[in-house]
Amino acid sequence: MLTSFDALALRPELHEALAAVGYREPTPIQAQALPAMLEGVDVIGQARTGSGKTAAFGLCLLNRLDLDLLQPQALVLCPTRELADQVGAELRRLAARLPNLRILSLCGGQPNRDQKRGLEGGCHVVVGTPGRIRKHLDTGGLQLSALRVLVLDEADRLLDMGFQEEVDAIVADCPEQRQTLLFSATFPEEIERLCGRVQHAPYRVSVEAQVAPELLRQMAFRCTPDQRHPTVARLLRAFRPSSALVFCETREDCEDLTAFLAHRGAVALALHGQKEQRERDAALIQLNHGSVSVLVATNVAARGLDIPALPLVIISELSPDPESHLHRIGRTGRAGEAGLALSVVAGARELARLEAIETFMGLRIERVITPDEGEGLSFLTPPNRTLLILAGREDKISRGDVLGALVKEGGLPPEAIGRLDLGRKTCAVAVAREHADAALRYLQSGRVKGQRVRVTMLS
Ligand code: AMP
């Protein structure tokens, strides 16, 4: 088994990027899949978000590009824009040392005109959602004659979301001679059939059996149904995580619980399918920036999100579907980090759900006495706040420009600035909570790279 990236025949720029992003050892899916992928064979990967699958196919496709040929040579199909954004961000991180590499995002819900212009400028890699990609193929803006690698990411969700026809149409436009990599968390018959249609003698790898139970501790806490929300608050107080993800079954409960926790002093945000895309993006950015401590989410919103190293997941209401429970707890204890998943079990109905989950997973979940009532949740104040600057790469603004404006001109201490996410039209920057107001005031009155910018504080 591959234990180090050094043994892989990757371009030196990719080895450098791996060192720069701090990936020291391959994750199990990377260790199993990369050697075969780099030989050019088709691969089926059974793995979900959190396994490191993006870097696995990302390294493969970046390694195969001819940088002198400005034509789409790799295409990644994703079920949602959120996933496409995460894939694009991971590819850009890994491609940071490859000069002039162009990655284009083509997703629904974004202006067609900008995408057409992007295509006219040329690119090496396209990441996007099937509907929009097919549209660009139909209008002739996108051509796949130079394609070398096709990736179907979260293939089960692609089909669940009704993209079968689009996927088939897109595949029909790809050259016969290509490498096809397919990732899916589950393998119902339709996926097996899809693999048969789009792949050639695929090599199969699976990391599902390797969810390391020793890294993930589960506990269950019983209460009466009317005590569900107070029990979540007690668990947060007792376990004092730096951040946590809490799952609810319904959108109403998600909103109610968020309000309940916020009322007790936690900085909490709700994330569910009825939220606008903009609000969902903002919630995720803030979690990644350390600007929100508790994200309260429904299943719909929570699948496929890239939330690194979450120390604690609380399941406020057990799902009747044991597999869905597996997805939820998979949000903690990822990529080698220890995790903790706490389930609130309210009433007899949920006790039956807990038992069904135990049977499904083939293990017993420890029953623990619910901790006592205590003080408020004000310790759940995150260290940072996130400023959103309404200018980005398209305005020729770089990370250095934003850092320069805040530190050199605005006078903020460098250590007060955290993660900075530069997008096409926006730049989100994490600033230590005590300096956030000053940073906002400076950006509202000062300039970034000589330009006046619009800026807001996310909350
Ligand atoms: P993914 O399953 O692709 O969504 O990746 C899950 C998380 O693991 C992402 O936040 C990656 O940045 C991180 N990751 C991927 N590969 C590695 C690695 N070899 N070592 C450490 N972290 C990794």
Side-chain angles (χ1 to χ4, degrees):
M1 177 90 117
L2 182 76
T3 54
S4 153
F5 289 113
D6 297 345
L8 292 172
L10 290 170
R11 300 167 185 250
E13 296 91 341
L14 292 176
H15 280 297
E16 286 168 25
L18 282 169
V21 294
Y23 296 176
R24 278 182 286 279
E25 286 170 12
T27 64
I29 189 79
Q30 292 161 2
Q32 289 183 40
L34 269 168
M37 280 183 183
L38 293 177
E39 280 178 25
V41 302
D42 287 358
V43 169
I44 298 177
Q46 179 158 21
R48 50 186 93 232
T49 299
S51 59
K53 65 183 165 66
T54 317
F57 66 70
L59 288 167
C60 168
L61 70 87
L62 292 171
N63 203 50
R64 293 204 54 192
L65 297 176
D66 174 355
L67 293 176
D68 296 329
L69 179 68
L70 191 57
Q71 285 183 35
Q73 298 166 55
L75 170 64
V76 185
L77 291 183
C78 301
T80 62
R81 197 191 116 193
E82 276 139 345
L83 184 66
D85 285 347
Q86 288 158 24
V87 168
E90 178 83 340
L91 292 181
R92 288 196 176 88
R93 268 201 293 274
L94 293 171
R97 312 279 163 129
L98 291 169
N100 304 323
L101 179 90
R102 297 199 51 182
I103 300 172
L104 196 63
S105 156
L106 299 178
C107 295
Q110 289 171 336
N112 209 21
R113 197 168 21 103
D114 293 357
Q115 296 181 352
K116 271 198 191 141
R117 218 177 316 127
L119 282 166
E120 280 159 21
C123 66
H124 301 93
V125 180
V126 173
V127 182
T129 49
R132 186 57 67 95
I133 292 201
R134 185 180 181 188
K135 202 161 159 189
H136 287 295
L137 284 170
D138 289 347
T139 56
L142 173 64
Q143 296 210 343
L144 298 176
S145 53
L147 194 86
R148 297 176 178 191
V149 185
L150 170 67
V151 181
L152 304 183
D153 196 9
E154 300 203 353
D156 48 356
R157 290 184 73 207
L158 279 171
L159 297 194
D160 283 350
M161 294 178 66
F163 283 131
Q164 166 105 43
E165 197 192 322
E166 277 83 2
V167 170
D168 283 335
I170 294 165
V171 173
D173 266 359
C174 296
E176 274 289 313
Q177 279 292 335
R178 59 161 199 268
Q179 183 178 24
T180 306
L181 310 174
L182 181 144
F183 287 84
S184 191
T186 58
F187 278 81
E189 230 168 77
E190 310 87 79
I191 297 288
E192 297 289 351
R193 277 201 296 272
L194 177 69
C195 295
R197 284 202 303 278
V198 304
Q199 293 187 299
H200 177 68
Y203 176 75
R204 192 181 276 263
V205 296
S206 171
V207 293
E208 286 308 280
Q210 297 180 3
V211 179
E214 70 277 11
L215 281 179
L216 176 65
R217 182 139 184 238
Q218 288 200 72
M219 297 185 214
F221 299 83
R222 302 222 29 206
C223 69
T224 51
D226 63 321
Q227 285 298 305
R228 189 190 303 286
H229 291 179
T231 302
V232 171
R234 287 178 198 178
L235 294 179
L236 286 168
R237 249 187 325 257
F239 287 88
R240 295 200 158 238
S242 54
S243 62
L245 180 60
V246 183
F247 283 107
C248 296
E249 280 289 280
T250 65
R251 173 166 52 91
E252 291 75 23
D253 192 41
C254 181
E255 291 286 0
D256 290 349
L257 179 55
T258 308
F260 182 89
L261 298 175
H263 185 67
R264 276 152 189 78
V267 175
L269 281 176
L271 187 68
H272 52 68
Q274 300 282 306
K275 290 260 175 197
E276 279 181 33
Q277 185 76 46
R278 188 174 41 81
E279 293 173 291
R280 283 154 60 174
D281 290 347
L284 282 183
I285 287 180
Q286 289 179 86
L287 190 72
N288 283 325
H289 278 192
S291 301
V292 61
S293 300
V294 186
L295 204 59
V296 185
T298 60
N299 277 346
V300 191
R303 268 188 82 181
L305 302 180
D306 183 24
I307 307 171
L310 211 74
L312 177 67
V313 164
I314 298 182
I315 290 122
S316 141
E317 180 173 350
L318 283 171
S319 166
D321 170 21
E323 193 170 341
S324 159
H325 182 77
L326 207 62
H327 282 292
R328 292 171 165 187
I329 63 172
R331 296 278 154 207
T332 180
R334 298 156 61 195
E337 308 249 351
L340 191 59
L342 311 177
S343 296
V344 176
V345 185
R349 185 187 67 163
E350 285 173 33
L351 188 59
R353 290 180 182 177
L354 180 71
E355 286 162 359
I357 288 166
E358 290 179 319
T359 308
F360 178 78
M361 295 187 72
L363 49 78
R364 197 180 139 76
I365 298 172
E366 199 183 334
R367 271 70 161 168
V368 180
I369 298 187
T370 305
D372 286 341
E373 194 72 66
E375 292 308 301
L377 295 172
S378 51
F379 68 90
L380 280 168
T381 302
N384 298 329
R385 299 203 69 178
T386 296
L387 299 180
L388 187 70
I389 300 170
L390 300 180
R393 284 199 303 272
E394 280 186 359
D395 308 282
K396 305 270 184 282
I397 280 179
S398 71
R399 302 165 61 86
D401 296 329
V402 177
L403 290 175
L406 286 170
V407 176
K408 282 212 197 87
E409 289 151 44
L412 257 69
E415 62 279 9
I417 318 285
R419 202 171 136 157
L420 193 154
D421 291 297
L422 185 63
R424 277 189 314 127
K425 292 177 189 278
T426 57
C427 176
V429 53
V431 177
R433 198 154 265 272
E434 63 274 26
H435 292 288
D437 286 329
L440 178 67
R441 274 196 305 275
Y442 173 73
L443 287 177
Q444 281 173 338
S445 58
R447 286 163 198 272
V448 176
K449 203 183 184 182
Q451 306 175 36
R452 281 207 163 275
V453 289
R454 294 203 7 235
V455 56
T456 54
M457 181 110 72
L458 296 180
S459 65

